[in-house]
Amino acid sequence: RPSDNQAESFLRSKLRIPAPTKLDLWALPDPPAGEPPSHPYRVLNCLAIWGSPQRRLQLREIRQALMDRFDWYREHP
């Protein structure tokens, strides 16, 4: 199992998020108005979990994090 540092390094390099930026959903750029985020759902889930205080979320909490971050998920429940 990879360490937290390895997982963080992998996510940062894959998503091109520089080190001083907090690794969470807010690190992603806003999608164009009316469009969903361009990243796959599994990546969004991972960032929602990674950005949570205990790095653990239930499905409903992941969904809420997506709705809090992206208009598209609020508009398409």
Side-chain angles (χ1 to χ4, degrees):
R1 178 178 172 198
S3 70
D4 280 353
N5 288 341
Q6 289 172 320
E8 181 175 354
S9 292
F10 175 79
L11 285 170
R12 286 187 182 284
S13 74
K14 193 77 168 162
L15 299 172
R16 297 185 178 118
I17 298 172
T21 304
K22 184 177 178 185
L23 190 59
D24 63 9
L25 289 171
W26 295 93
L28 297 176
D30 290 335
E35 292 187 26
S38 62
H39 295 287
Y41 196 64
R42 70 179 183 276
V43 170
L44 299 176
N45 289 345
C46 186
L47 285 176
I49 292 167
W50 194 267
S52 70
Q54 297 175 345
R55 292 196 183 140
R56 180 181 300 174
L57 294 176
Q58 295 179 358
L59 289 175
R60 64 181 168 78
E61 294 169 319
I62 292 171
R63 183 73 177 159
Q64 186 62 53
L66 292 174
M67 289 191 304
D68 290 346
R69 172 61 182 95
F70 297 108
D71 292 338
W72 193 84
Y73 286 104
R74 283 191 298 278
E75 297 165 1
H76 298 88

